[in-house]
Amino acid sequence: MGATTAIHCETALVDGVAVDGVRLQIGAAGRIERVERDAAAQPGDLRLGLVIPGAGNAHSHAFHRVLRGRTHDDCGDFWRWREQMYAAAGRLDPEAYHRLALGVFGEMLAAGWTAVGEFHYVHHRPDGTPYAPAHAMELALAAAADSVGIRLTLLDTCYLAGGIGQPLTAAQRRFGDGTAARWLARWHALRDALPESVMLGAAIHSVRAVPPDAIAEIVRGLPGDVPLHVHLSEQPQENDDCLRAHGLTPTGVLARAGALSSRLSAVHATHLTDDDVRMLGDAGVTVVMCPTTEADLGDGVGPARRLADAGARIALGSDQNAVVDPLLEARGLEAGERLASGRRGRFSPAELTTALTVDGYATLGRAGGIRVGGAADLVEIDRASVRTTGADPAQIVLAATAADVARVVVGGVVRAERGILAPSAAGKRAEDPARLLADALTDFARPEDPA
């Protein structure tokens, strides 16, 4: 299926405002070249109903999907859950990861995530030795995204320590490159190996996993236009350990290492001091909130409104993929704020839509939104379902769920319809992400079972 030259939207959210009769002229590169308002549909147009811009999933760990519905019977905390996650990571190889990523990325696309930032650190064999040929795990993810049709920003992650001042554990060996210099060398080589469809970003796993001098070396060694992400203050223990070791909060460590800037995306940012909020806002970072994961793991509710008011942008991510639904992430952001503050309307529907779309894309190094120069990535919402009937189109983000996604367009091409992935231009048959996931999950025993 080729790119459509024009798309007509009965109603579209343009900068958060519901506009009727929006006609988009699409260029050969799959970008929007012209936006017409109050326009009539023309013969040959792809006709859509209520449309929001494509959503940018700013934080994903695709392999965590293995844990969905398997970690809830013994209570515990984040750290107990992490051991189960390590067990799942230990079962990955390039072939299995490719199959799993097909299902995970397929589920994302059908749900309305049209771009994803994959925070990737399972680089090597379980014993820490590189794969041959090189970059096998990274190329497996790239091939899966390309097959599905979702835009991938691969956030290749530096992971050097098992905790502050601690070596990598046996379960973590496959994550590490030994030094920041070795990670940088692999990163630059990977940039040349990836297909053009994939954007290569970078990530520092956390101040737990990367020492301050290595963080500074990474900041100096990466091109200045490369998106840089980091897990930040997800758990109080991280803050306590950092204060003991460095006399600084994790945000303070990043600031001293020169990492705070507008190209940085701080994921979670749940447990912050007032000074942390000020520093992140002053630097113009993007804070990536993952409300369904933060709730699932009992992380807490981060100060999203305070961060936004301080100058930070807010984006959203699915993180562990226990829930894959961009609209529920947006609703979860506002719900958390309401529960913490006792007030409604902490984020307007327009702000939530921007977090999902324009700012989600920006943190992945991409241009989103319904605007000239933006990617022609669109999500059509069924406005007549039991959830959406009667809703104000401008407030649809607080009414709809992924079950209401009718069609998903990436680069002017319809890539999914009613939960099913569309056939590709090469003639590949339509695929149900549920079948892809079922096939992939046969590669994994229960995470707690012996390997």
Side-chain angles (χ1 to χ4, degrees), residues 226-250:
V226 170
L228 179 63
H229 290 224
V230 61
H231 291 127
L232 181 66
S233 293
E234 183 177 4
Q235 290 289 319
Q237 182 179 323
E238 176 182 315
N239 291 355
D240 295 343
D241 292 348
C242 194
L243 285 165
R244 278 194 297 271
H246 306 301
L248 297 167
T249 65

Side-chain angles (χ1 to χ4, degrees), residues 350-446:
E351 288 176 309
L352 294 173
T353 302
T354 297
L356 263 186
T357 61
V358 174
D359 288 347
Y361 263 56
T363 196
L364 302 179
R366 300 182 181 276
I370 297 176
R371 57 187 59 181
V372 172
D377 299 350
L378 308 168
V379 178
E380 181 185 26
I381 303 295
D382 182 351
R383 65 196 304 176
S385 78
V386 293
R387 288 164 294 278
T388 61
T389 294
D392 180 344
Q395 299 185 35
I396 200 69
V397 70
L398 288 167
T401 73
D404 301 309
V405 171
R407 281 180 286 186
V408 179
V409 174
V410 179
V413 178
V414 176
R415 289 289 190 175
E417 188 163 359
R418 297 290 178 183
I420 302 298
L421 303 180
S424 68
K428 182 180 175 182
R429 70 173 189 266
E431 292 278 11
D432 185 345
R435 189 191 68 78
L436 295 173
L437 285 165
D439 289 348
L441 290 171
T442 61
D443 293 323
F444 297 88
R446 285 183 60 86

